[in-house]
Amino acid sequence: MKNKSLGVALVALTLLSATVLFVGCKKEQAATDPAATETTQAPAPEFAEVPLDENGIPYISEEFGSEDIYYAPKGEATLTINQIPDSDNSECLISNRGTNNSGIYVPVDDFRCNTINVATSVKSMNANILLSLQYDIYGNTTYVTIAQCAPSAISYTRVGGEIQIPNNATNISVYIEAGDVKDITVDYIRVSVVGDYIDPATVPVEELMDVSDYPSLSELYSDYFRFGVAIPTTIVPNENEEFRNLVSHEFNSITLENEMKPENILDGETCLADPATYNESPALDFSSLTETLDWAQENGIGVRGHCLIWYSQTPSWLFYENYDVTGELASRELMMTRMENYIKGVFDWAQENYPGLFYSWDVVNEAIGDNGGLRDCYWLQTIGDDYVQLAFQYAREYADPSIELAYNDYNEYQPSKMEDILEMLAPVAEAGNIDVMGMQSHMTAGLSVDSYVEAMNTYADELGVSIMITELDIGAPNSANPLYDQGVYYQEFFEGLIAAVDAGTPIESVTVWGISDDTSWRSNTTPLLFSGNLAMKSAFEGVVCAITGDELTIPDDYVVVEADYSPIYEDYENGEFIGFTRYSSVIEVVSDNPYEGESCLCNSEGTATYDGYCIDVSRFAGTSIHYSFAIRCDTDTCYFTADIENEWPHIEEIDTSSGEWILVEGDYDVPANLTYLQLYFESIDMTEFYLDNLSIMVIEEGAEEAELTEETEETAETAETSEQGT
Ligand code: 9MR
């Protein structure tokens, strides 16, 4: 139940709101942009001390009704606490949001070193809401998505997830943001510790490593491709020089991870203050970039521009008549003019101030939707289907010929996405306006390197472009030796790239998406080459070994795994299960009409059909298994599906239209030679479903069993580390 002392909170929030309205600082600019420091900052709110639960562990439950306040507006936003009609409860309305990442934050420094569970419930007209974590790593700000949902505007949608806060993090907060600047209403924000609590006071922040003796990737790979890294603008002014040293020592290319995206370059304040003057040619502000670009130039480091035209991190006001989001969307003609002038403005500035520094630019980013076809977005809605072609046409017109123009996307190696990308880019290639396919490559260890190389060759051949791997990060597997196994895969992957270049694949650059695991947007999958204090990981050594031919060091604490064919059986009677949610569904043991006994498992609240209940059976590789289970669902069809290294064959299509329990059983030959296999249950339209009496047992051990089991155990995979959607 929420606290009812609403009066005090309202007074506090009215004060807060009134001040916040005047704050106009942009996300990453506060530290470096002199203009930002001149704006009137809201006074730091008085946060209440985080309460402890009965075991002395910090626990925040912000319900917006108490005088103890654990939240504050993030960026430009107004927070108003309203009582929910006919209820004792209250909710927080976030309005006047200046940018997509403006919203509300809750400081969580008391939870450093711990895995936390963060849960909230939101209503909004925004197409998606993100629950994110922000922290500094030795002065470098990092943003990590914890969970996201497609909310309803009229009823609350719950969104939550778990995240590990790095030991070396400081200034830690969780916050709510959205894909657009529309209002968000929040019912509550809760933060709790998962597992045993580690008192942050007992874990000091580590010393940064001296990186000067590390082997240099850009030198080692100089005959093959440029070696790049994505960085924030905070590393140049940072008092810790180790980050700068590492970047200039290891890499000869940088991409600014966020700061060259439209929302950071478009000058909203100027455009909105004088829409008539800037109606056709939006005002631009590059002041937050110069320090980093000057440094890159002084150090002979090339830059990839990222990115010009994107559905995300582009303010919605850009798409409206008079930049007024309460009015009409702008016409096709006006948006074509704004697009052309934006692209021209960015290239003119780059060429005037940094001639020769940029060697490539992502002209269009992520135009294909997760369900195929062109992604619905403001560019599509205002200009129409040819917006991608127009963007490349303008880019070709205004970019210096030395800047190679790229299309950039994720899941780009998956066959169906490839088809869509190739179809979309065919006319662009025909017109001679594209030079590069940007393969983001947010991957998981286990993806077939051969099919990845095949994808690169297909793009190169069909579009006549070269390849840049633009955002590489490879999540560590959930195995007995995750970091070593990740190193093995990094080595395999780079050996594949080297062989591909030798065979003629035109790979021009490879960029890793971040410096260290702690600064990665996917930090909980530890996907990068260096750990938080910049120590070399097996992943780094794997990349080095791929080119030197050396053997990866087996760590002292390497765990040898015995073959394990013990059967799986779950009747949920004791409340336990070994499986886990794929992405964001909620799994719980319930007593709602079980098949047998008192309990069964319920999977609900998925936001995509593949948000299901998942069991890792990697240890059964190369065997035949027998499965049986009872399933019940109020929709027509459920699937029992295999997730095998980025293929998702349905093992069973189950007719659940009766709404009654259906008993399913069968045999399945688990492929050998795979690095991971998960079996999962899903309903065709995200309707909640129930499972009971689930059994999986090996009926015939494979010939290659001993060798493969060991290999497979080492590289078993989790759904967590999978890339964005399937
Ligand atoms: O790594 C970036 C992260 O810090 C930002 O919060 C996020 C916001 O959208 O963007 C991340 O970078 C994305 C890149 O610009 C485009 N491809 C996907 C990347 C990961 O989300």
Side-chain angles (χ1 to χ4, degrees):
M1 244 324 134
K2 292 181 180 180
N3 189 311
K4 292 185 206 163
S5 53
L6 203 62
V8 184
L10 270 173
V11 174
L13 259 295
T14 312
L15 283 173
L16 213 51
S17 313
T19 323
V20 169
L21 267 171
F22 294 99
V23 179
C25 51
K26 292 183 186 178
K27 174 160 132 185
E28 282 81 15
Q29 288 189 358
T32 50
D33 179 2
T37 52
E38 282 163 27
T39 22
T40 318
Q41 277 284 2
E46 285 277 322
F47 295 113
E49 210 168 288
V50 173
L52 305 179
D53 69 10
E54 64 278 12
N55 301 316
I57 298 173
Y59 173 75
I60 295 176
S61 182
E62 178 54 77
E63 314 253 336
F64 305 111
S66 158
E67 57 196 87
D68 289 336
I69 290 179
Y70 306 108
Y71 62 92
K74 177 173 166 59
E76 184 184 336
T78 305
L79 307 186
T80 315
I81 305 298
N82 295 314
Q83 188 153 0
I84 302 176
D86 305 324
S87 140
D88 288 341
N89 295 349
S90 34
E91 59 190 8
C92 176
L93 170 71
I94 314 171
S95 54
N96 302 317
R97 298 176 50 243
T99 58
N100 293 4
N101 57 299
S102 314
I104 185 170
Y105 78 94
V106 172
V108 293
D109 297 274
D110 292 33
F111 297 84
R112 180 171 71 85
C113 326
N114 288 277
T115 297
I116 54 171
N117 184 294
V118 187
T120 185
S121 196
V122 287
K123 277 192 287 198
S124 181
M125 299 273 283
N126 288 289
N128 71 327
I129 295 282
L130 292 110
L131 187 58
S132 305
L133 179 73
Q134 173 177 341
Y135 51 79
D136 289 344
I137 290 290
Y138 307 98
N140 300 309
T141 309
T142 300
Y143 308 92
V144 186
T145 305
I146 305 169
Q148 49 182 310
C149 70
S152 151
I154 45 177
S155 61
Y156 275 111
T157 304
R158 180 192 164 285
V159 53
E162 292 180 5
I163 189 100
Q164 159 80 42
I165 304 179
N167 293 359
N168 302 319
T170 51
N171 294 329
I172 315 159
S173 58
V174 295
Y175 65 98
I176 297 173
E177 57 182 331
D180 200 349
V181 292
K182 293 173 186 145
D183 294 355
I184 306 170
T185 307
V186 184
D187 190 18
Y188 59 79
I189 302 175
R190 295 184 190 129
V191 184
S192 58
V193 171
V194 178
D196 293 338
Y197 175 62
I198 302 164
D199 180 355
T202 63
V203 185
V205 170
E206 292 170 296
E207 290 268 302
L208 276 169
M209 300 292 289
D210 173 3
V211 301
S212 48
D213 289 338
Y214 288 5
S216 163
L217 296 177
S218 52
E219 278 174 24
L220 286 170
Y221 280 86
S222 59
D223 289 343
Y224 282 87
F225 32 73
R226 284 188 204 242
F227 219 121
V229 64
I231 61 166
T233 47
T234 44
I235 74 156
V236 174
N238 197 325
E239 59 182 25
N240 301 295
E241 62 174 6
E242 287 82 351
F243 282 84
R244 277 192 299 288
N245 292 348
L246 185 83
V247 173
S248 58
H249 179 67
E250 293 295 333
F251 302 102
N252 52 9
S253 167
I254 56 165
T255 306
L256 296 188
E257 187 172 348
N258 285 299
E259 292 84 346
M260 294 192 68
K261 293 171 179 174
E263 90 177 353
N264 289 296
I265 289 183
L266 284 162
D267 182 348
E269 233 172 275
T270 306
C271 291
L272 270 56
D274 186 1
T277 303
Y278 297 99
N279 187 36
E280 297 198 335
S281 188
L284 309 180
D285 176 2
F286 301 99
S287 55
S288 64
L289 310 175
T290 48
E291 194 177 24
T292 304
L293 297 178
D294 290 349
W295 176 81
Q297 197 155 44
E298 282 155 24
N299 286 276
I301 300 173
V303 184
R304 291 201 76 251
H306 174 77
C307 50
L308 292 170
I309 302 300
W310 191 19
Y311 77 93
S312 178
Q313 286 184 280
T314 305
S316 48
W317 55 257
L318 181 68
F319 301 92
Y320 282 84
E321 270 181 22
N322 305 316
Y323 299 134
D324 174 5
V325 291
T326 60
E328 300 277 305
L329 280 177
S331 67
R332 168 178 163 88
E333 287 65 34
L334 181 55
M335 283 317 297
M336 281 169 58
T337 309
R338 285 181 186 170
M339 178 193 259
E340 178 171 0
N341 284 326
Y342 178 71
I343 291 175
K344 177 177 187 307
V346 174
F347 282 125
D348 283 354
W349 161 83
Q351 281 140 206
E352 190 176 319
N353 296 284
Y354 298 100
L357 183 63
F358 291 89
Y359 68 94
S360 174
W361 217 294
D362 292 329
V363 176
V364 176
N365 196 34
E366 302 173 357
I368 298 293
D370 288 336
N371 298 318
L374 277 178
R375 184 191 295 276
D376 186 23
C377 69
Y378 280 127
W379 287 116
L380 185 75
Q381 286 167 25
T382 52
I383 294 186
D385 283 7
D386 57 349
Y387 86 87
V388 173
Q389 290 171 56
L390 286 165
F392 277 96
Q393 182 189 311
Y394 300 141
R396 182 61 92 214
E397 192 174 340
Y398 298 109
D400 184 273
S402 63
I403 297 178
E404 293 188 275
L405 305 180
Y407 174 72
N408 193 45
D409 214 330
Y410 62 87
N411 286 347
E412 71 286 348
Y413 44 77
Q414 292 176 2
S416 61
K417 184 110 176 210
M418 271 179 73
E419 245 176 64
D420 285 355
I421 294 175
L422 288 168
E423 190 183 325
M424 177 184 77
L425 293 180
V428 182
E430 180 106 337
N433 291 338
I434 181 169
D435 308 303
V436 170
M437 174 62 203
M439 311 223 354
Q440 291 189 5
S441 311
H442 297 294
M443 311 202 310
T444 50
L447 177 81
S448 150
V449 178
D450 287 348
S451 45
Y452 185 88
V453 170
E454 210 178 295
M456 289 195 289
N457 288 332
T458 308
Y459 285 121
D461 294 347
E462 296 210 6
L463 299 171
V465 294
S466 55
I467 303 295
M468 293 188 187
I469 296 176
T470 52
E471 304 186 10
L472 181 67
D473 51 17
I474 304 177
N478 179 22
S479 63
N481 300 289
L483 295 179
Y484 173 74
D485 294 338
Q486 180 187 37
V488 171
Y489 184 78
Y490 257 108
Q491 178 168 355
E492 240 177 78
F493 184 76
F494 274 85
E495 283 168 354
L497 298 186
I498 291 167
V501 173
D502 287 341
T505 307
I507 306 174
E508 290 193 15
S509 66
V510 177
T511 294
V512 286
W513 202 242
I515 299 174
S516 71
D517 285 344
D518 287 356
T519 62
S520 164
W521 71 295
R522 308 165 68 192
S523 64
N524 55 341
T525 71
T526 60
L528 291 173
L529 306 182
F530 301 97
S531 63
N533 69 339
L534 304 185
M536 292 181 267
K537 291 174 58 192
S538 293
F540 174 76
E541 201 195 338
V543 179
V544 172
C545 290
I547 188 111
T548 59
D550 291 338
E551 268 197 24
L552 191 61
T553 317
I554 299 183
D556 293 343
D557 57 358
Y558 184 84
V559 180
V560 179
V561 181
E562 301 287 322
D564 176 9
Y565 290 154
S566 55
I568 294 167
Y569 184 72
E570 295 186 343
D571 61 11
Y572 312 108
E573 294 304 309
N574 60 4
E576 286 173 10
F577 48 89
I578 61 159
F580 45 88
T581 171
R582 269 187 111 243
Y583 307 99
S584 62
S585 61
V586 174
I587 292 162
E588 52 196 338
V589 172
V590 295
S591 52
D592 180 3
N593 179 18
Y595 174 69
E596 244 177 40
E598 303 295 320
S599 316
C600 60
L601 193 78
C602 175
N603 181 101
S604 60
E605 297 188 34
T607 49
T609 55
Y610 44 75
D611 291 355
Y613 177 60
C614 180
I615 297 207
D616 193 315
V617 291
S618 308
R619 65 193 168 92
F620 297 153
T623 71
S624 296
I625 56 172
H626 182 77
Y627 55 82
S628 65
F629 55 87
I631 190 163
R632 172 167 69 79
C633 184
D634 279 337
T635 195
D636 286 351
T637 310
C638 286
Y639 296 109
F640 180 44
T641 309
D643 178 348
I644 312 176
E645 298 175 356
N646 282 303
E647 303 220 354
W648 303 276
H650 295 313
I651 302 175
E652 294 278 355
E653 179 175 329
I654 309 145
D655 178 354
T656 44
S657 53
S658 65
E660 302 294 327
W661 283 103
I662 309 287
L663 197 56
V664 181
E665 65 178 318
D667 296 339
Y668 178 64
D669 290 334
V670 183
N673 272 331
L674 48 77
T675 43
Y676 76 89
L677 172 69
Q678 293 167 351
L679 302 180
Y680 64 98
F681 302 85
E682 56 184 331
S683 68
I684 196 166
D685 54 7
M686 295 172 270
T687 305
E688 64 184 24
F689 62 85
Y690 298 83
L691 275 180
D692 210 349
N693 290 12
L694 165 64
S695 148
I696 301 174
M697 67 176 75
V698 171
I699 47 174
E700 196 185 325
E701 297 180 3
E704 302 165 89
E705 144 232 327
E707 189 197 332
L708 284 169
T709 306
E710 192 174 307
E711 164 86 358
T712 309
E713 278 290 334
E714 285 166 16
T715 48
E717 182 59 55
T718 66
E720 284 286 304
T721 54
S722 261
E723 201 180 333
Q724 325 180 17
T726 57

